[in-house]
Amino acid sequence: MPKCYNHQISLKEPNGAETLRRISQQSVNCQVVFRRNRRSLRICNEIFEKQPFLMGAEFGVADAAVESMLNIPMMLKLDLSADPAVLEYRSRISERAAFQKAIGQG
């Protein structure tokens, strides 16, 4: 059984094959979007090299939006090593108590 987005998909389930096909297509689409948005990641990296959060020294609503968009390359296990400040940013966000609570770990 392939594992997609932390879900076990069985081809024996009703619509299992269709669900797997749809998830696989979404994965391909995400990779295309990631490649097209490489410039955006580089811009974010430049910002995070200078300040801890998008708008400055404090976490804000924009950070919540950006973090959720950064989940896509992480879920797809895409290489972000060219953007170390983005990786550090994700680490800062994930360490926040509110983030832990939001994902059910706090």
Side-chain angles (χ1 to χ4, degrees):
M1 260 185 295
K3 215 174 181 178
C4 300
Y5 296 101
N6 296 325
H7 297 288
Q8 292 287 335
I9 304 297
S10 171
L11 296 177
K12 295 177 184 177
E13 294 175 19
N15 300 321
E18 175 60 21
T19 300
L20 183 58
R21 185 200 62 75
R22 196 170 57 249
I23 289 173
S24 295
Q25 184 59 48
Q26 288 171 351
S27 176
V28 169
N29 291 343
C30 288
Q31 290 178 23
V32 169
V33 167
F34 176 74
R35 283 193 295 272
R36 289 182 182 164
N37 289 299
R38 188 79 193 123
R39 183 170 183 268
S40 297
L41 277 173
R42 287 196 181 112
I43 291 169
C44 285
N45 195 68
E46 290 173 13
I47 291 170
F48 300 139
E49 285 175 338
K50 297 173 186 161
Q51 57 196 40
F53 299 105
L54 199 58
M55 302 303 290
E58 301 206 13
F59 180 85
V61 132
D63 292 295
V66 167
E67 196 286 326
S68 67
M69 292 170 54
L70 290 175
N71 278 333
I72 294 170
M74 301 307 280
M75 286 174 25
L76 295 173
K77 297 182 180 6
L78 299 176
D79 183 16
L80 295 180
S81 61
D83 304 297
V86 170
L87 293 172
E88 291 170 12
Y89 170 78
R90 288 231 348 108
S91 180
R92 270 193 304 281
I93 297 288
S94 65
E95 291 170 0
R96 294 175 51 80
F99 179 86
Q100 293 295 318
K101 185 176 180 181
I103 63 170
Q105 293 183 357

